[in-house]
Amino acid sequence: MAAPIKFGMGQSVLRKEDDALIRGKGRYTDDLAPSAALHALVLRSPHAHAKFTVDVAAARLLPGVALILTAEDTAELGGLPCLFNLETDPFTAPPYPILAKDEVRHVGDAVAFVVADTLDHARDAIEAIKVEWTTLPAVTGVVNAIKPGAPQVWADHKDNVLFDVSIGDKSATEAAFAKAHAVAEIRIVNPRVVASFMETRAAVCEYDTKRDHLTLTAGSQGSHRLRDILCQNVLKIPTEKMRVICPDVGGGFGTKLFPYREYALLAVAAQRLRKSVRWAADRSEHFMGDAQGRDNVTTAKMALAEDGKFLAMDVDLMGDMGAYLSTFAPYIPHGGAGMLPGLYDIQAFHCRVRTIFTHTVPVDAYRGAGRPEAAYVVERLVDACARKLDMSVDAIRRKNFIPPRALPYKTATGKVYDSGDFNAHLKRAMEIAEWKDFSKRAKAAKKHGLIRGIGLASYVEVCGTMGEETANVRLDPNGDVTILIGTQSSGQGHQTAYAQIVAEQFGLPPERVHIHQGDTAEIATGLGTGGSASIPSGGVSVQRATHELGDKLKQIAAEALEAGLGDLEIADGVIRVAGTDRAISFADLAKRPGVDPAKLNGSATFASADGTYPNGTHVAEIELDPATGIIRIVNYVIVDDFGVTLNPLLLAGQVHGGAVQGIGQALMEQVVYSNSDAQLVTGSYMDYALPRAADAPTFTFETHNVPCKTNPMGVKGAGEAGAIGSCPAVVNAIVEALWREYKIDHIDMPATPERVWIAIREQHRRHSL
């Protein structure tokens, strides 16, 4: 067997991006704004629901003010579109205007856009704008929003419901429940969260008067999608009239994939003023203006046979949309529902999905986009099933896992799992976590007044289905290789990962492979980055394009070396006649006289219709102080199946980061709106808690890979997996501790010290009556 290429597939290559970043040489959007650019700010509503009139006359006369835009000034613009609809039950999306007209529908709704020569002058103008508000009743939370008589977000959506549809076979599910030995039921809240990336959204727009052309620089997850939506849906101009550049991007998590109002407003301002205009969100704007995540209320039931076999699953899912429909918003609960059966052989399944408007910031995809919500539901329910039948949590999973011999397996929701060995990663994770000896550790903790809990979650998700991704791989004059691709890194390590795919075939070190992304003028097409698709789709495109380039270079080398194609091999950036010292370097190939430039470029497009299904098991062990409710994670084990590992270091980083995000949601993160007036209570990091290093455990991470059969590279997407398995594992561990010690069988995320302490005290109170 040939030795692995030093920098190729499966090797722990250090991230080539990091040298520039740690030296302060990264270039983010706000770094690239021209020094003479004007500054923009958004006037945002302080009310969740109100009628209003706005008077900007006095503000326009203030020193330094160049432009103020209101809804009347942008009437020709289209609204932000929702790109998802139901084929069977199409719905009509309400308007999502670039600036609100006459009525605002959430705190932070955009009312006016101010452009001035300095930020201070822009702030002065914001304060000088006169707005007359007539407040209206507002509603938060899906449970409240569907109550009779609740305030309506949109008059033409009765009871605030966008759609109410069913997935699966209701009659078969009801029949299975009718003959069940027992039924386990849970009702859980998946709280709303803020996508707390390090770099807030920012953008700069420049206008070329001679060409009547706009250049928008923005920290986005995809330049082409952003350009196309802005041009086609909002600005209503040809796409060739706008160039979008995405430089370094400091985190995305799905939230930076969408178009936002500010981008269109910058384009209008730059065009009208014939000057460059810049805008950057502060943290308060991030909380009030960027799409938020999760926010589901779900009731789930499982019909059980006497031996613990799952007979049927029935779910009622309500997803909060916020006040407007963000780009993919309705798809998140609807698409996520398709993953509710998890890794289990459940023959009968039914889910009612309702999407509901509230007077809050819009909700859209956030790391996992519906799949973490689904995994949380089924894994919490499976533990409830185990308690119902007095079975161990691992035994009931083994009883119901889809066995390897049944793969490929089509679930009741139509998903086709191609590969995996689910019991194997469960078994291995429990071995590493020393599950059998947990009782000894629990007894030792009890002596110190602490309660230990241990829990697990075995998850599956679907990813890699963003669509077609094209890669162009070209040979440069100096013998280096440049990749042009439409994906967009926001910290994942694309520069390194794609370089390794080239190294696998050409033997070039990473520093000789250059990645160009995020520029619509240089790269013809691209879907951006989302859904863990960059390696499953973009990686395959790079691999195939590199192979095509290699074949072309061999043709040139065959002529130069007067050798047959079958006698040539590529290694270390040269093509040689196998078994001889006769060779020609890549640089000499690139400079060879008369070479057709097309032969120095390889191109390939790949799209996966089937997707990939990463899966794995997380085991969390916690220690709970009943006197304070404080929870500490004392051990955390992850065993994942990602098909094939491209770079173990990059993979571990992605898994660790995702797991910490899930831990944050499980223990502390939650967006809170007041019930009375829908004010955003958690509007800054003074009130919204994020996990710090001290809150994260030391992870033990392994893979038990089974190559994906639907992906040419055998890989399964990995970017979101950590955030999918972590929430249910942590909360299951907490509930295990509370149940064993106090017979408390439920707690919702986030399991804050206050919430845990109250649950324990309430249980004591009930039993003391």
Side-chain angles (χ1 to χ4, degrees), residues 154-495:
W154 297 98
D156 53 352
H157 287 281
K158 185 182 177 182
D159 299 327
N160 292 312
V161 175
L162 173 66
F163 63 73
D164 182 345
V165 298
S166 288
I167 298 172
D169 190 330
K170 185 176 182 179
S171 60
T173 302
E174 290 175 345
F177 270 88
K179 64 179 183 180
H181 167 74
V183 173
E185 180 175 349
I186 58 169
R187 182 183 181 277
I188 58 176
V189 176
N190 202 308
R192 181 182 290 228
V193 294
V194 168
S196 298
F197 29 68
M198 293 180 70
E199 178 205 18
T200 58
R201 284 194 305 111
V204 182
C205 195
E206 303 167 73
Y207 180 68
D208 185 334
T209 55
K210 293 181 180 179
R211 299 169 53 214
D212 184 28
H213 187 271
L214 295 159
T215 298
L216 179 70
T217 302
S220 170
Q221 289 175 231
S223 53
H224 295 83
R225 188 190 300 272
L226 178 56
R227 178 201 62 185
D228 293 350
I229 292 175
L230 288 176
C231 290
Q232 296 168 5
N233 298 94
V234 184
L235 301 173
K236 301 176 183 177
I237 61 175
T239 54
E240 57 266 25
K241 289 292 184 179
M242 175 179 277
R243 175 189 185 187
V244 173
I245 300 171
C246 295
D248 289 331
V249 180
F253 310 129
T255 304
K256 284 186 182 170
L257 185 62
F258 322 125
Y260 287 96
R261 293 162 148 172
E262 295 85 4
Y263 305 149
L265 291 165
L266 285 168
V268 172
Q271 191 170 34
R272 293 187 184 182
L273 296 171
R274 303 297 199 259
K275 292 182 179 180
S276 300
V277 188
R278 66 191 295 179
W279 168 84
D282 60 24
R283 279 296 168 189
S284 293
E285 285 190 288
H286 170 55
F287 276 81
M288 294 188 296
D290 293 0
Q292 297 174 349
R294 311 294 189 233
D295 206 347
N296 292 348
V297 175
T298 308
T299 301
K301 298 185 291 184
M302 192 80 81
L304 301 165
E306 190 171 2
D307 64 354
K309 190 75 177 70
F310 298 159
L311 301 176
M313 184 178 182
D314 187 69
V315 182
D316 187 307
L317 165 61
M318 294 187 289
D320 197 330
M321 298 289 95
Y324 302 103
L325 293 186
S326 184
T327 312
F328 304 109
Y331 171 75
I332 308 309
H334 188 270
M339 297 307 298
L340 279 167
L343 292 170
Y344 307 103
D345 179 19
I346 302 173
Q347 295 296 314
F349 173 87
H350 171 258
C351 179
R352 180 188 186 189
V353 182
R354 283 174 284 178
T355 48
I356 298 163
F357 291 109
T358 60
H359 288 109
T360 60
V361 174
V363 174
D364 209 321
Y366 170 73
R367 200 168 190 168
R371 287 102 72 198
E373 295 92 316
Y376 184 65
V377 169
V378 67
E379 288 305 291
R380 289 288 308 276
L381 180 59
V382 169
D383 267 29
C385 293
R387 286 191 296 273
K388 188 77 174 181
L389 298 179
D390 197 24
M391 293 179 68
S392 69
V393 294
D394 57 310
I396 199 166
R397 284 174 169 81
R398 290 191 179 97
K399 181 79 176 179
N400 290 282
F401 275 155
I402 301 162
R405 66 178 181 275
L407 300 174
Y409 175 93
K410 187 173 183 178
T411 71
T413 59
K415 304 297 182 183
V416 180
Y417 302 162
D418 65 284
S419 58
D421 188 344
F422 315 138
N423 186 55
H425 54 63
L426 170 69
K427 180 181 178 182
R428 179 58 182 154
M430 293 178 69
E431 288 174 353
I432 300 170
E434 298 179 343
W435 187 283
K436 291 181 179 179
D437 295 327
F438 169 73
S439 59
K440 297 177 182 177
R441 300 192 295 275
K443 288 179 182 178
K446 192 73 177 290
K447 292 179 180 178
H448 298 284
L450 302 173
I451 310 301
R452 284 235 172 178
I454 193 166
L456 61 82
S458 294
Y459 76 92
V460 62
E461 69 143 328
V462 59
C463 56
T465 56
M466 286 282 285
E468 288 188 350
E469 194 60 67
T470 298
N472 288 281
V473 180
R474 75 184 183 210
L475 183 64
D476 297 330
N478 65 350
D480 288 0
V481 168
T482 293
I483 300 170
L484 289 85
I485 192 164
T487 58
Q488 177 66 48
S489 178
S490 55
Q492 300 95 325
H494 291 182
Q495 298 273 351

